[in-house]
Amino acid sequence: MLQSLLGYNVRRAQVTLARDFQQHVGQGKIRPVVFCILVLAEAQPGIAQVELARKLALDKASVVALIDRLEGAGLVERRRSTLDRRRQGLFVTPQGLLRLQTLKDEVSRHERQFLERYSPVEIALLVSLLQRIYE
Amino acid sequence: MLQSLLGYNVRRAQVTLARDFQQHVGQGKIRPVVFCILVLAEAQPGIAQVELARKLALDKASVVALIDRLEGAGLVERRRSTLDRRRQGLFVTPQGLLRLQTLKDEVSRHERQFLERYSPVEIALLVSLLQRIYE
DNA sequence: TATTGTTATACTCTATAACTATA
DNA sequence: TATAGTTATAGAGTATAACAATA
């Protein structure tokens, strides 16, 4: 009966993926959300923290704490925007880019373990069905 | 690029479902995990706490805390097994059964909001694809 | 007035480790 | 020795509220 609930199945899948991520990515020190921040900042240098919060469905205050640690580790830096001085654009440092490359490889290996269980069509389908939940 | 990651999509879906659950079930006081415990205890009266932990992918110590609160609210009770005196079987109280019925209705309404977005075939497919991740 | 970022704070959720009582 | 349950504890992860600076 539990197995028929969408919420139960999504939660079990999420827990499984999160634990495997922790075991195989960044020696357990990089969380999925932090990885996402790095990826987004690389794709869109100078991205605002509010926008990260929106894209990751977090409160902006939570994002601040995450970036504090990333900045402390020298992987990103904040730069005040000259156009809108309220904004602190986020940039991945050269060291961060290097680290990100390693992380991406680890994430790929981690994901592959699960993607292997599907055909390409099934993966595309699964992703698109999941997006219908949160989009 | 993030959108192509299985982990990202599952996480976003899970967060969306969990927030909606909190808004629509048990006045925000019942968490998904707690609901699951009630359902499992109803389906299998006297179920052991270790087994709940296993089925919900939690540590047994975490289950103890959850059941403490359920017991405090009078929704379940522990009864020492006479066959194996280490075991504390879990039983839903009459009051708990009443409450569970309400919760089930609320969960159904909550789930329906999302299930509406799919055809029956798609739902079955989504669930079966998700199970391949955690089974 | 609204928005960006920040700080301080508190709460929830979970695991770990060490323990007991039973087996 | 192993298992079921418990306690104490600590560490995450997050949100809320109040604030400063800027628009």
Side-chain angles (χ1 to χ4, degrees):
Chain A
M1 190 269 173
L2 232 43
Q3 274 79 13
S4 69
L5 290 176
L6 193 55
Y8 175 80
N9 286 285
V10 170
R11 183 169 189 285
R12 289 295 307 270
Q14 199 268 322
V15 168
T16 302
L17 285 166
R19 285 183 184 161
D20 191 86
F21 187 101
Q22 207 201 345
Q23 283 189 325
H24 294 97
V25 179
Q27 294 129 1
K29 289 175 208 152
I30 297 288
R31 284 193 296 137
V33 185
V34 170
F35 173 73
C36 288
I37 289 179
L38 284 173
V39 169
L40 290 170
E42 184 198 27
Q44 192 179 325
I47 188 171
Q49 297 178 44
V50 200
E51 192 164 356
L52 289 171
R54 194 181 53 70
K55 287 200 175 171
L56 300 172
L58 294 175
D59 189 88
K60 59 195 167 114
S62 308
V63 172
V64 170
L66 295 171
I67 294 180
D68 281 350
R69 272 197 285 172
L70 276 174
E71 197 170 31
L75 302 182
V76 301
E77 63 178 28
R78 293 165 160 113
R79 283 190 229 145
R80 181 74 64 184
S81 160
T82 47
L83 296 170
D84 181 342
R85 294 186 42 72
R86 289 174 304 183
R87 284 179 171 250
Q88 291 262 63
L90 195 66
F91 297 86
V92 184
T93 62
Q95 185 193 343
L97 289 174
L98 226 62
R99 187 73 197 287
L100 183 52
Q101 192 48 57
T102 307
L103 291 174
K104 279 183 181 171
D105 293 343
E106 291 170 351
V107 169
S108 289
R109 274 198 295 280
H110 148 72
E111 285 260 321
R112 197 173 309 137
Q113 287 192 286
F114 296 95
L115 296 177
E116 271 171 357
R117 307 172 189 186
Y118 306 102
S119 73
V121 172
E122 285 174 328
I123 293 168
L125 195 55
L126 175 53
V127 165
S128 114
L129 290 171
L130 284 171
Q131 282 169 353
R132 232 180 278 178
I133 294 177
Y134 69 82
E135 270 178 356
Chain B
M1 189 271 173
L2 232 42
Q3 275 79 13
S4 68
L5 289 177
L6 193 56
Y8 175 79
N9 286 286
V10 170
R11 185 171 187 284
R12 288 296 304 272
Q14 198 268 322
V15 168
T16 302
L17 286 166
R19 286 185 184 159
D20 192 86
F21 187 101
Q22 207 201 345
Q23 283 187 326
H24 294 97
V25 179
Q27 294 131 0
K29 289 175 208 152
I30 297 287
R31 285 192 297 135
V33 185
V34 171
F35 173 73
C36 289
I37 288 179
L38 284 172
V39 169
L40 290 170
E42 185 199 27
Q44 191 178 326
I47 187 171
Q49 298 178 44
V50 201
E51 192 163 358
L52 288 171
R54 194 181 52 71
K55 287 201 175 169
L56 299 172
L58 294 175
D59 188 90
K60 59 193 168 120
S62 309
V63 172
V64 170
L66 295 171
I67 293 179
D68 281 349
R69 272 198 285 172
L70 276 173
E71 196 169 33
L75 302 182
V76 301
E77 65 178 26
R78 293 166 161 113
R79 283 190 230 144
R80 182 74 63 185
S81 160
T82 47
L83 296 170
D84 180 343
R85 295 188 40 75
R86 290 173 304 181
R87 286 183 172 247
Q88 290 263 62
L90 196 66
F91 297 86
V92 184
T93 63
Q95 185 192 344
L97 288 174
L98 227 62
R99 186 74 199 286
L100 183 52
Q101 193 48 58
T102 309
L103 291 175
K104 279 182 181 172
D105 292 344
E106 291 171 350
V107 168
S108 289
R109 274 198 296 280
H110 147 73
E111 285 259 323
R112 197 175 308 136
Q113 287 191 287
F114 296 94
L115 296 177
E116 271 170 357
R117 307 172 190 186
Y118 305 102
S119 74
V121 173
E122 284 174 328
I123 293 168
L125 195 53
L126 175 53
V127 165
S128 113
L129 291 171
L130 284 170
Q131 282 169 353
R132 232 180 278 177
I133 294 177
Y134 69 82
E135 268 176 356

